[in-house]
Amino acid sequence: MSERAAKVTPAETDEQDDDQITDSAAPDAVTEPDADAASESTTEPVTNGAQSVVRALENAGVEYAFGVQGGAIMPVYDALYDSEIYHVTMAHEQAAAHAADAYGIVSGEPGICLATSGPGATNLVTGIADADMDSDPLVALTGQVPTAFVGNDAFQETDTTGVTKPVTKDNTFASDPDRVGSDVSEAFALAREGRPGPTLVDLPKDVTKSETDREPDEPKTPDTYHVQERANAEIVAAAAERLENATRPVMLLGGGVIKGEASEACREFAIEHEIPVITTMPGIGAFPEDHELSMEMAGMHGTGYANMAITHCDTMLAIGTRFDDRLTGGIETFAPDAEIIHVDIDPAEISKNIHADYPLIGDAETVVEQLSTAVETSPEAKKWRAQCQQWKSDYSMAYDAPEDEPVQPEFVVEALDEATADDTIVTTGVGQHQMWACQYWTYTEPRTWVSSHGLGTMGYGLPAAIGARLAADDDQDVVCIDGDGSFLMTLQELSVAVRENLDITVAVLNNEYIGMVRQWQDAFFGGRHAASDYNWMPEFDKLAEAFGAAGFRIDDYDDVAETIEEALAYDGPSVIDVHIDPDANVYPMVPSGGDNGQFALTEDQL
Amino acid sequence: MKRGLDGPAPEERPTPAGRRNKQGIRIDPEVEATHDPRRTVISALVKHEPGVLSDVSGLFSRRQFNIESLTVGPTEDEERARITVVVEEPDPGIDQIKKQLRKLVPVISVRELEPDAMRRELALVKVAADRPDQVAAVADMYGGKTVDSCPETATIEITGTRQKIEAAVETFSQFGIREISRTGLTALARSTDETAAQSPAVGTEEMNRQDKHPHTQTADDD
C-alpha cells in the first residue's frame, strides 16, 4: 500500500550499526533501567529534553504522530526529525487530535498529537474533549512558552493545562528537563490503562531545549492510580443468580466492551445463554449485527426493536456504558422494570445516571469471564426471544427507494456496505449521515466503527479516516461517510490524504442542509430553517480534484453502484458527492428526554 | 411519498408501568425513593503538588456539586496534603462526589467522615471596642482569645464547631461587627480511626460494597 511506502523515512539508513556498537561498548555508562528497551532502535544517548520526549514515545512503541509545527514545539520536532516515528503533518491541529483519536480507536494504542503553544494548543482542545467523552486513548504534546515567560501573557501563551484540565484524564506541566521524558512515558501509560482517555503534557520550550542525559522511565502509571481488575465475588454471584432467574434479559454493550477487548467474551456469553444483545452507539461492532440475537443500537435513533427490548426487559447486563442521555432518553422511563447489572472499570460510572442494582467494578473481559463461570443455568427466556424477533419484524428498518425519487441516503449506505468487505472501517462526521451509517450498515467486527459519540463533533469524519487508515491493516478498506456540513468543517485535511496518498473513500451525503438541525426545526421549531439551509455548498467532486484527489458525483440511482465501485477502486483518496433526497429524515426517533418505547416512526408521531 | 418507517404507532404499543426517579433508581411504591440532601464532610488525602486544589475545586464546579466549605493544608507527610470538603447533596450525589474525587490522579484516598468525627473551624471577629469589658466577657464565654485590640476595635479568635462560631458571632453582633474571616471546616476521624484510608484498595472495596446509605446521620455538629 502506498501509505506504507510513505512512512519509510530516510532517517534510519547508515548509522544504525555504529550506534549499536557504541551502545554495547559502553554498558557501564548506562545506568537507566530502560537501557534494554532503548537499545532496540537507534540509541544515541539523549542530549536534551526534546530528545527525551521522543525517546519516551519510541520506547512506548509509537509509530505515527499527528501534528502541526510551530514556535514553542520546534525543539520536539527537531528531535522527531531523527526518529523513526513517522510524523503526519495535518492542515489544522483539531484534525491532528481527531486523527490521533481514530488511530487510538482502531489500534487500541494511544494516538499521539502535537501542537505548538497558544492557538496550536487551543485548536487541539475540541479533539481532546472528543477523546475524553469517548474514553479514547490519546496523548497530546503541546509546546509552551519558556518557563521564564509563563504567566506573563507572552506571545502565543495559553494556560494549556488549565484549559484542558476538564477534558483530559490527566495533564502535566513539564518543568524539569530531567523529568520531561518520564512525564511523557507516564502520560502514555495513563492514556492507555484502566478506563482509557486523553492525557496532555505541556512542554515549555526551555525545558525541551535544555541539556539532559536522562533517559525516560518506562511507561508506568503514577502510584496513586489504581485499577480494579476483578469484580467483587459476592456481587458476581448475586448478579449471576439474577441472570439465571431472568425471564426478559438483555445485554447492553457499550464502548467499554470494545476498549476492554471483551467483545469475544460477550459474544460467547450471549450466545451460550441466548440473551438478546443491544449496543450503544460506541458499542457498535461489539456484537455481530447479522446475528439473530442482535437487536442493534438503542437510543435516540436506535432501532425500534432495540428500544422496545430495552424498555421491556426485566434484567439488564450493561457492560462498559455510561448511560448517556442519547441512549437512555428520559431517566424515568429507561428500562423501568429492569434490575441493572452494571459492569464498568470506572467506579464513578456506577449509579451516576442509572442506579446499578449489581455494581461490578472491573475489567470488562475479566468480569464477563467471572460471570460466565458463575452462571450455571441459562435464563428461561424463549417467549422473550420470540417477542424480540416479533419486534424486529414489526419495526423493521425498511425504507422506500422509488426509482424516480432523489437518491435515498439509506440506499447509498447499504450500497457502500455491500461493495466492501466485513472488516471495512467506517468513519463519520456528526449528523443525519452518522445516524444512517449506524442504522443501515451491518457491523460485525469491533474497532470498525469510528465516530464522535459523546461530544458529537462535526468535522470528525475525514481526519478520523486519516488516523484510521494508518492504524488499519493494509488490506482493510476505510470509508468515511460524511455530511455536507460536517465535511465542510475539516475538508482542508484532503490535502493531507493526498500528500500521504491514503486510500480513503469519502461519501458525502449532500442534502445542502445541516440536516439534523433541519429535522429538529421541522419537528420542534415550526419548520423555520434558521441558518440550517446550506444551498451554497461547493461542488465537492471538483473540490476534491482541486486538492489532487479523485472526485465523483452521484445524482440518481443509476450511478450509485458503478460510482461507488470506481471510487473504491481508486488507489488514493476519493470523494463522492452524493446528492441525496434533501427532505430525507432519520427515523426512528426518540425526542430528547422522551420514552425510548415511544419512539416516533414518522414525523406525525413526534 | 410517506416519510418514516412502518410499525405500530406509539399509542398502540405496550408500556411498562414502572418508573425511575430522577436519580435513576426504580421507584418502589412502598418506599419513597427520592433522597433529600444532607450535609456531610469528605476528607481527601492528595499529593502535595501544584494544581491539586484547582483540580478539586474545578471538579466540583463543573459537575455542579455545591461546596459549603473547602480547606486544605499539609499533613504529617510533607508530600501529602489533606483537603476537607463540606457538601450538601442527596446520597447518590455524595457517593458520586467521592468517586469523582477518587478519579483524579493526584488524589490518594477519599473518605466520608463518620458523624462523630472532630470538626473545627476558626474565625477572626473584629468588633467595635466601645465596651471592652463586655467584649472580653463574651470572648471568654466562647473560649475566645483577643488577638488584637486598639481603642476602636478588638479582634477575637474563636475555634470550634460551626454552630459555636455562629452563636459567638451572633452574640458579638451586639457590639457591632466590623469584619469577620472564617477558615472553613477542617476535620479528623476520632481515636485510631484513620481519616483517610492509606491503602488505595480500601477505597475501591468500599465503592464495590456500595453501601447505600453508610451515614444516614447528618454531620451538623459533634
Side-chain angles (χ1 to χ4, degrees):
Chain A
M1 291 284 286
S2 41
E3 74 272 16
R4 291 289 160 181
K7 84 170 176 179
V8 177
T9 61
E12 78 295 358
T13 44
D14 302 326
E15 314 268 58
Q16 207 159 357
D17 290 346
D18 290 347
D19 292 342
Q20 296 204 340
I21 291 161
T22 313
D23 191 54
S24 55
D28 294 342
V30 182
T31 51
E32 299 305 320
D34 53 332
D36 287 345
S39 67
E40 285 167 15
S41 59
T42 53
T43 49
E44 295 245 1
V46 303
T47 61
N48 64 23
Q51 288 184 4
S52 187
V53 166
V54 171
R55 180 63 51 83
L57 297 178
E58 289 168 344
N59 288 353
V62 170
E63 278 187 276
Y64 293 99
F66 304 87
V68 180
Q69 175 64 289
I73 195 76
M74 277 170 68
V76 178
Y77 272 90
D78 189 62
L80 264 180
Y81 198 67
D82 295 326
S83 169
E84 283 184 52
I85 295 172
Y86 186 70
H87 178 265
V88 183
T89 300
M90 304 298 285
H92 188 284
E93 288 89 351
Q94 183 192 343
H98 291 327
D101 176 76
Y103 185 91
I105 294 172
V106 173
S107 71
E109 288 292 307
I112 310 295
C113 59
L114 295 101
T116 194
S117 64
T122 56
N123 278 349
L124 282 182
V125 172
T126 302
I128 295 172
D130 190 290
D132 192 52
M133 288 289 268
D134 291 349
S135 307
D136 297 328
L138 174 84
V139 178
L141 302 177
T142 49
Q144 183 55 276
V145 300
T147 42
F149 292 7
V150 167
N152 292 349
D153 303 329
F155 177 66
Q156 294 194 328
E157 181 190 355
T158 297
D159 172 12
T160 302
T161 51
V163 168
T164 58
K165 180 71 73 185
V167 294
T168 47
K169 183 171 169 183
D170 190 45
N171 69 20
T172 311
F173 179 89
S175 53
D176 179 356
D178 289 340
R179 269 288 312 167
V180 66
S182 301
D183 286 341
V184 173
S185 296
E186 189 177 284
F188 191 92
L190 267 173
R192 178 176 56 185
E193 286 174 28
R195 178 181 184 169
T199 57
L200 180 143
V201 186
D202 202 26
L203 304 163
K205 196 171 185 178
D206 58 323
V207 171
T208 49
K209 276 176 78 178
S210 288
E211 287 184 12
T212 180
D213 58 0
R214 263 299 289 269
E215 296 284 335
D217 297 334
E218 285 299 291
K220 188 176 156 296
T221 56
D223 54 7
T224 58
Y225 186 79
H226 298 277
V227 178
Q228 185 176 325
E229 294 287 325
R230 288 179 72 78
N232 177 298
E234 277 174 43
I235 307 177
V236 169
E241 196 185 331
R242 173 69 208 183
L243 272 171
E244 286 169 355
N245 294 320
T247 55
R248 288 170 283 142
V250 296
M251 283 172 75
L252 175 67
L253 307 185
V257 170
I258 293 167
K259 292 180 205 312
E261 301 290 355
S263 305
E264 199 51 50
C266 287
R267 287 171 189 216
E268 282 170 18
F269 189 83
I271 291 165
E272 184 184 346
H273 299 295
E274 296 185 275
I275 301 171
V277 179
I278 298 161
T279 69
T280 69
M281 190 160 76
I284 285 176
F287 193 79
E289 293 186 333
D290 53 2
H291 194 279
E292 194 187 9
L293 287 168
S294 172
M295 306 298 282
E296 300 167 49
M297 179 180 88
M300 181 174 277
H301 290 296
T303 63
Y305 33 99
N307 280 326
M308 288 304 278
I310 215 164
T311 303
H312 291 270
C313 65
D314 71 349
T315 306
M316 178 186 292
L317 172 54
I319 307 170
T321 173
R322 61 189 173 88
F323 293 108
D324 176 78
D325 58 271
R326 282 293 191 272
L327 167 77
T328 60
I331 295 291
E332 308 80 38
T333 49
F334 180 77
D337 288 345
E339 297 227 343
I340 311 273
I341 303 163
H342 190 183
V343 180
D344 208 292
I345 198 154
D346 181 356
E349 287 309 333
I350 304 289
S351 300
K352 185 182 79 179
N353 296 334
I354 297 292
H355 178 78
D357 301 285
Y358 303 88
L360 297 175
I361 299 163
D363 168 69
E365 189 183 18
T366 310
V367 179
V368 172
E369 277 161 10
Q370 283 180 275
L371 276 170
S372 197
T373 311
V375 174
E376 285 170 353
T377 56
S378 299
E380 293 278 350
K382 206 172 165 189
K383 214 174 130 195
W384 168 246
R385 284 190 296 274
Q387 175 66 72
C388 287
Q389 295 305 320
Q390 182 61 43
W391 282 326
K392 272 188 174 183
S393 70
D394 286 351
Y395 303 103
S396 61
M397 294 297 291
Y399 58 92
D400 290 325
E403 284 291 321
D404 54 344
E405 290 283 332
V407 178
Q408 297 302 315
E410 300 93 332
F411 183 87
V412 181
V413 172
E414 286 190 337
L416 275 162
D417 188 10
E418 271 168 39
T420 51
D422 280 353
D423 65 352
T424 297
I425 294 172
V426 178
T427 77
T428 74
V430 168
Q432 286 183 316
H433 69 276
Q434 179 190 26
M435 295 302 128
W436 289 315
C438 288
Q439 295 174 333
Y440 290 94
W441 189 291
T442 305
Y443 299 88
T444 55
E445 297 302 325
R447 302 192 186 279
T448 59
W449 164 249
V450 181
S451 193
S452 167
H453 309 108
L455 197 66
T457 311
M458 287 177 68
Y460 179 84
L462 176 60
I466 292 171
R469 173 73 273 167
L470 294 173
D473 292 338
D474 288 353
D475 56 1
Q476 230 174 338
D477 280 337
V478 175
V479 172
C480 170
I481 297 175
D482 221 334
D484 47 333
S486 210
F487 187 55
L488 197 66
M489 288 198 173
T490 52
L491 58 71
Q492 74 279 0
E493 304 306 325
L494 266 180
S495 64
V496 177
V498 169
R499 188 194 67 228
E500 303 292 336
N501 194 25
L502 302 180
D503 194 9
I504 294 164
T505 306
V506 184
V508 183
L509 303 185
N510 185 352
N511 56 8
E512 300 197 343
Y513 276 109
I514 296 282
M516 190 58 92
V517 170
R518 200 271 330 275
Q519 177 168 344
W520 283 51
Q521 286 171 331
D522 285 341
F524 310 116
F525 289 87
R528 289 151 55 88
H529 293 169
S532 63
D533 187 344
Y534 275 34
N535 59 15
W536 39 269
M537 277 290 152
E539 292 181 65
F540 291 118
D541 50 335
K542 290 184 182 163
L543 199 74
E545 285 168 5
F547 274 107
F552 300 90
R553 182 179 167 115
I554 291 177
D555 281 304
D556 53 51
Y557 284 105
D558 296 340
D559 303 339
V560 174
E562 196 182 325
T563 309
I564 285 175
E565 201 176 306
E566 274 181 60
L568 287 169
Y570 181 77
D571 185 16
S574 58
V575 176
I576 319 172
D577 190 0
V578 190
H579 289 258
I580 58 163
D581 180 355
D583 297 325
N585 278 342
V586 183
Y587 292 102
M589 176 177 182
V590 180
S592 190
D595 178 344
N596 277 344
Q598 301 289 298
F599 52 86
L601 295 162
T602 66
E603 197 179 326
D604 301 339
Q605 293 173 353
L606 281 169
Chain B
M1 179 185 157
K2 178 182 126 345
R3 289 271 162 206
L5 301 165
D6 291 327
E11 59 272 17
E12 293 160 26
R13 296 173 208 153
T15 307
R19 285 292 178 267
R20 291 179 187 273
N21 68 14
K22 281 185 184 139
Q23 291 146 350
I25 302 169
R26 284 201 303 151
I27 294 172
D28 181 347
E30 304 289 310
V31 189
E32 178 47 62
T34 307
H35 297 274
D36 291 327
R38 64 181 176 89
R39 171 190 288 267
T40 192
V41 182
I42 293 169
S43 183
L45 197 62
V46 302
K47 277 178 125 174
H48 199 173
E49 62 183 26
V52 178
L53 188 58
S54 113
D55 285 7
V56 171
S57 57
L59 170 76
F60 275 75
S61 72
R62 75 172 178 275
R63 294 202 176 263
Q64 299 283 294
F65 296 132
N66 189 27
I67 304 183
E68 299 273 312
S69 99
L70 185 151
T71 61
V72 58
T75 64
E76 72 284 0
D77 181 342
E78 64 179 22
E79 290 185 355
R80 291 172 178 194
R82 172 164 284 122
I83 294 179
T84 309
V85 196
V86 181
V87 292
E88 196 165 324
E89 285 282 330
D91 271 306
I94 291 170
D95 201 39
Q96 188 60 210
I97 287 172
K98 291 189 277 182
K99 290 169 172 172
Q100 292 289 349
L101 263 179
R102 189 64 196 85
K103 254 176 96 165
L104 297 174
V105 172
V107 171
I108 297 158
S109 75
V110 176
R111 202 186 132 179
E112 183 182 354
L113 294 185
E114 302 289 335
D116 75 345
M118 291 165 293
R119 292 184 295 275
R120 290 294 181 272
E121 194 178 329
L122 182 145
L124 292 172
V125 186
K126 192 188 283 179
V127 297
D130 302 337
R131 290 171 283 170
D133 296 357
Q134 292 178 30
V135 170
V138 171
D140 212 34
M141 219 160 72
Y142 288 98
K145 204 168 95 183
T146 306
V147 289
D148 179 54
S149 72
C150 73
E152 290 81 25
T153 67
T155 304
I156 294 101
E157 170 197 320
I158 302 161
T159 312
T161 63
R162 189 172 58 99
Q163 281 82 352
K164 177 178 155 187
I165 285 169
E166 269 160 22
V169 167
E170 206 186 317
T171 317
F172 275 123
S173 65
Q174 59 179 300
F175 308 116
I177 292 174
R178 290 211 174 192
E179 286 182 296
I180 296 178
S181 179
R182 291 169 69 161
T183 58
L185 186 139
T186 190
L188 275 185
R190 278 201 184 272
S191 63
T192 54
D193 191 9
E194 275 188 70
T195 303
Q198 296 291 313
S199 154
V202 176
T204 326
E205 193 52 34
E206 191 182 309
M207 288 169 182
N208 236 338
R209 284 203 308 277
Q210 207 190 27
D211 299 331
K212 277 182 185 159
H213 316 292
H215 313 288
T216 45
Q217 208 180 327
T218 295
D220 260 344
D221 205 350
D222 54 353

